[in-house]
Every structure is written in structure tokens, then in C-alpha cells.
Amino acid sequence: MKDRQPVYVRGLGAYLPEKILTNADLEKIVDTSDEWITSRTGIKERRIAADDQYTSDLSAEAAKRALADGGLAAGDVDAIIVATVTPDMPFPSTAAFVQKKIGAHTCPCMGIEAGCSGVPYGCELASALLRQGPYRNILAISADKLTAITDWQDRLTCVLFGDGAAAFLLTCDAEGARGEILDIYIANDSSGVDALYLPGGGSRAPATEETVRNRLHFLKMNGQEVYKEAVKSMGQAVATILERNNLVPDQIKFFSPHQANLRIIDAMARQINVPLERFLTVLQWTGNNSSPSVGIALDDAVRAGRLQHGDLVVLVSFGAGLTSGTVLLRWIG
Ligand code: UT7
């Protein structure tokens, strides 16, 4: 917002694991088809982390790329935030493992559980810390190894997800900035708290033979409810951030939406009367990788040279909670 100290994106990094799982591969695992998955979601393939590759590994790769992009070293990092629903383990925080893996000093490390809205939530927390001081450079990472909590017997969910990470290196220093965060909006509508959840493994249903037998350690989703809420709340989040910045959709070069389903993105585009071409999509080859998805789509556009100096971009997320959030960004270059 204009009356607050500006926060800048100094570096951006994304990471997708190497292994590809195609729709044809899924046809061999569950009763599904490439035709169904493509027509219902737009997804053709997704990236799967290796068994010994954890959320902190995905995060560390994205973080190293963001640091290289911003021309800073791990020693320059003053705090690490990791937004994830698939931490390496309940504690210590995944950010602590990232600190070790990238070789950062003893800076504070913390986590956020915001479902697929990790990017706006992480950027909001990082921005508040940067404005408060004494931090100069903060890594706001969003990463998920969703395939670790995917039920490969549930065809309604297992065809959707993939793994990945995105890192934003944020600072209050205008020098060398690649983008400026103009505004962030985040929200949570708990009326949908039971539409998307992982029932087992927490304090409510600690792991027992029964929780394992009942498949409670896998993600559960009411697809149709989540679909409807996604269109509604992402539409509202976009409207809110545009309105409070006196902007109209035509002034936004690109929207980077949560990469859950091409039909959701198409419905959003029609809702705000913006051609689908102005919505960045990578889900065709990434699947829905949860918290990092809007960052991965942004990174893809940046690497492809699609953003010019001065372009406005809106990242818009939606996820378990039910969370939603937007980041309004001015690209610098
Ligand atoms: O990142 C978190 C946010 N997540 C989301 O945003 C996901 C939101 N939800 C969705 O994207 C969609 O609801 C899905 C892609 C999950 C499902 O699409 P849908 O159009 O809502 O399908 P549906 O649940 O209404 O199922 C339609 C039919 C059913 O068969 P009948 O009852 O009509 O005979 C399902 O059993 O499709 C069947 N079906 C499948 N068929 C082949 C469900 N999954 C599959 C499958 N392959 N994988």
C-alpha cells in the first residue's frame, strides 16, 4: 500500500522435481483416462519428487535459485519462512532444514499452514517482518510434496497433484529489485474447513494401526465444493485488491492463479471479463502442486521473458482453510 514502506522482490526461484508422471501412467494405477483428466482439469502430466527428496529439498533448490537470481548469498538471509502442508516432519520446522541445506546463518526459521495460499500468506508475513525490522532479506518459500499425502487408490484426487517449490527473496531495499509488492490481501473462510483436509497424524487422530488402515493419512477433498468456493473466493480476492488500489482488470498484464484446474481458471477469467491468455498456466505439465503454484507460474513467465518493466501482475491463490489471497506486483525487470 502506498502509505507503507515498500517491499521488493529481489529474487525469484522455482523448482520442479525431475520425474514426470503422465496421464497415461495414471491410467495404469487407477480407473481413469487421459481424456477424463485433460477435459476435467487441463492437466497432462505432473512432477513427482524422489522418495528421498523432501519438502525441505524442494524448498532449498528454489531458495538457491532465488538467491542466485537476486545476486545474494545464503549468509545474507535474515529469516526463512516456509509455507507448506507437507512439512518434512511435524517439528522442527521445514525452514530449519532449509537453513541447514542452503547454509544460512542462525536466522529465525518459521512455518505457515495456509493450504495452497502459501505465497500470499508468506509474502504478507515477510513484508510485516521487513517493515518492523531489523530484517533486510527474507526468504518466503512455498513448497509441497503433495504426492506424500496423496491416496493413490482415490482417482478423484490422485490425478490432480504434483510436487514443487517457489521462493521469493524479499527486501525493503529498492536497489537491484526485480519487482515491487504493491499490496497483499489474505483471508480465511472457515465455513469450508472440512472441504479439504488431512485427518490423520495430528493431535486429533494420532497415528495408530487403525488410522493407517482407514487411510486417514491421505488428503481428503470434496472436489465440487472446493471447485465452487475456489471460483467464488479467488474472484472476490481479485476484486478486493483491484478495488482498493483503484485498478481495473484491463490494467493487469497477467493474472497468476492457483494452478488447480483449467476450468476454474477459465471461470475466473470469464467472471472478470479477461481473456484466458492473460492468465498464466503451467498446470498442464506441473499438475496442482499446492502452495508454490502461483509462484511457479510467475517464474515461468519471467524466464520466458513475458514480463516487461512496469507490468502489473496479480497472483491469486486458494486452498485448505479455506484460505484465499492475492499479491499485487509491479514488475521492474
Ligand atoms: O488445491 C486445492 C484446490 N483444489 C481444487 O481446486 C480442486 C477443485 N475441484 C476440481 O477441480 C474438480 O471438482 C475435480 C477435478 C476434482 C473433479 O471434477 P468434477 O467435474 O467436479 O467431477 P465430479 O466429481 O463431478 O465427477 C464426475 C464423474 C463421476 O462419475 P459419475 O458419478 O458422474 O458417474 C466421478 O466418479 O467423474 C468420475 N471421476 C472420474 N472418472 C475418471 C472422478 N474422478 C475421475 C477420474 N477418472 N480420475
Side-chain angles (χ1 to χ4, degrees):
M1 303 276 269
K2 288 193 173 54
D3 53 343
R4 295 196 290 182
Q5 185 178 355
V7 171
Y8 300 94
V9 179
R10 167 95 189 214
L12 182 63
Y15 175 75
L16 291 169
E18 274 172 34
K19 188 177 170 198
I20 296 172
L21 186 74
T22 65
N23 291 350
D25 295 329
L26 281 164
E27 287 176 357
K28 294 175 201 139
I29 302 173
V30 284
D31 179 17
T32 191
S33 64
D34 173 48
E35 194 282 326
W36 191 94
I37 303 170
T38 306
S39 62
R40 296 285 178 138
T41 72
I43 298 167
K44 298 298 284 182
E45 59 187 43
R46 64 288 290 144
R47 298 301 187 93
I48 307 288
D51 288 347
D52 62 352
Q53 204 176 22
Y54 316 127
T55 298
S56 63
D57 296 300
L58 310 178
S59 302
E61 283 308 317
K64 284 179 200 164
R65 291 176 187 194
L67 286 168
D69 189 52
L72 293 184
D76 298 319
V77 174
D78 300 316
I80 303 172
I81 300 166
V82 177
T84 185
V85 295
T86 50
D88 285 20
M89 49 182 79
F91 66 87
S93 80
T94 302
F97 292 109
V98 174
Q99 182 189 72
K100 190 168 187 169
K101 284 173 184 171
I102 66 172
H105 65 82
T106 55
C107 62
C109 290
M110 58 198 92
I112 299 178
E113 266 179 277
C116 303
S117 302
V119 169
Y121 271 72
C123 288
E124 176 79 331
L125 175 58
S127 299
L129 292 173
L130 284 165
R131 290 195 180 103
Q132 169 202 301
Y135 311 96
R136 284 195 67 187
N137 305 303
I138 298 184
L139 273 170
I141 303 167
S142 295
D144 272 304
K145 184 178 179 178
L146 270 195
T147 57
I149 55 165
T150 297
D151 186 346
W152 297 102
Q153 293 180 11
D154 176 12
R155 68 174 183 171
L156 195 57
T157 53
C158 77
V159 300
L160 305 174
F161 302 119
D163 304 325
F168 289 73
L169 177 60
L170 301 181
T171 171
C172 282
D173 204 345
E175 203 186 313
R178 306 214 60 199
E180 180 180 356
I181 292 180
L182 300 180
D183 196 7
I184 300 173
Y185 163 79
I186 52 174
N188 189 89
D189 177 1
S190 54
S191 67
V193 79
D194 51 5
L196 182 54
Y197 61 107
L198 180 69
S203 57
R204 182 159 153 181
T208 61
E209 280 181 25
E210 199 185 347
T211 62
V212 173
R213 199 168 43 248
N214 292 334
R215 309 187 79 71
L216 298 191
H217 298 277
F218 295 121
L219 172 160
K220 312 287 176 200
M221 180 174 74
N222 177 337
Q224 291 187 354
E225 187 185 340
V226 173
Y227 186 108
K228 277 187 239 140
E229 288 302 319
V231 175
K232 193 175 90 186
S233 64
M234 284 199 288
Q236 279 169 355
V238 167
T240 301
I241 207 152
L242 292 184
E243 205 177 296
R244 72 186 193 190
N245 288 279
N246 299 314
L247 291 166
V248 293
D250 272 353
Q251 291 170 278
I252 307 301
K253 176 74 178 282
F254 288 116
F255 293 84
S256 183
H258 177 41
Q259 305 287 308
N261 187 324
L262 205 49
R263 285 159 56 217
I264 294 177
I265 297 172
D266 187 48
M268 273 191 67
R270 279 187 279 112
Q271 202 179 59
I272 58 171
N273 206 17
V274 166
L276 191 57
E277 298 72 54
R278 298 221 324 267
F279 279 73
L280 302 174
T281 60
V282 293
L283 60 82
Q284 295 88 339
W285 69 92
T286 64
N288 174 355
N289 39 35
S290 187
S291 61
S293 86
V294 300
I296 291 172
L298 175 67
D299 183 78
D300 181 72
V302 169
R303 307 290 154 224
R306 298 180 71 191
L307 290 185
Q308 312 299 323
H309 178 81
D311 284 347
L312 295 179
V313 183
V314 169
L315 315 182
V316 53
S317 302
F318 170 82
L322 294 169
T323 56
S324 57
T326 47
V327 179
L328 173 64
L329 198 65
R330 181 189 292 120
W331 196 246
I332 296 171

